[in-house]
Amino acid sequence: MEIPLQITARDFDLSDANKANIQKYAEKLDAVYDRIIRCRVVVEALRHRSNSKGLYNIQIVLTVPGSEFVIKREPNEDFHLAVRDAFTAATRRLKDFMERQRGKVKHHEEKE
């Protein structure tokens, strides 16, 4: 993987297996768009007093030439689903960015 990956966990310790899972998803992003400058993943555990289970909030910050994207999805009780949803959204955002770069976005004609 060419991109520098920074993984930060807030309010809990991230296991090596969870870090490897995030690494795997980041490598897939690199396969989609190979000009990513930096990828920062912030994993936050949200705890509620009324709820025995915590929620996991995943934020991905992607830096590409000329732009930076912040991807944040709804928190999820399942860590793996939260990571998958966030990286799926990041993949979509990268693909949209690539389409705009290549000029493949349709422009509507102005109505008179």
Side-chain angles (χ1 to χ4, degrees), residues 91-103:
T91 301
R92 278 194 312 268
R93 181 77 63 92
L94 274 178
K95 286 181 179 179
D96 290 345
F97 175 73
M98 289 170 36
E99 294 282 320
R100 283 193 311 271
Q101 263 192 332
R102 293 177 182 154

Side-chain angles (χ1 to χ4, degrees), residues 98-112:
M98 289 170 36
E99 294 282 320
R100 283 193 311 271
Q101 263 192 332
R102 293 177 182 154
K104 293 186 177 182
V105 178
K106 292 182 180 178
H107 297 283
H108 299 284
E109 294 181 17
E110 292 183 25
K111 295 184 179 181
E112 296 178 13

Side-chain angles (χ1 to χ4, degrees), residues 1 3-7 19 22-24 26-27 38-41 87:
M1 181 168 138
I3 62 174
L5 176 64
Q6 177 186 1
I7 302 171
K19 286 181 184 178
I22 292 171
Q23 176 85 23
K24 178 186 75 168
E27 288 172 359
R38 182 174 54 162
C39 178
R40 187 174 66 218
V41 181
F87 275 96

Side-chain angles (χ1 to χ4, degrees), residues 26-76:
E27 288 172 359
K28 288 181 181 180
L29 282 181
D30 193 38
V32 170
Y33 186 70
D34 61 353
R35 295 183 60 202
I36 298 173
I37 298 170
R38 182 174 54 162
C39 178
R40 187 174 66 218
V41 181
V42 179
V43 182
E44 185 176 27
L46 307 172
R47 306 265 184 236
H48 297 286
R49 292 181 188 164
S50 62
N51 189 353
S52 61
K53 285 191 170 187
L55 295 174
Y56 296 99
N57 190 23
I58 311 294
Q59 179 179 348
I60 302 171
V61 180
L62 289 174
T63 305
V64 295
S67 195
E68 184 172 83
F69 305 119
V70 178
I71 294 93
K72 187 173 179 181
R73 307 301 298 164
E74 291 293 321
N76 198 324

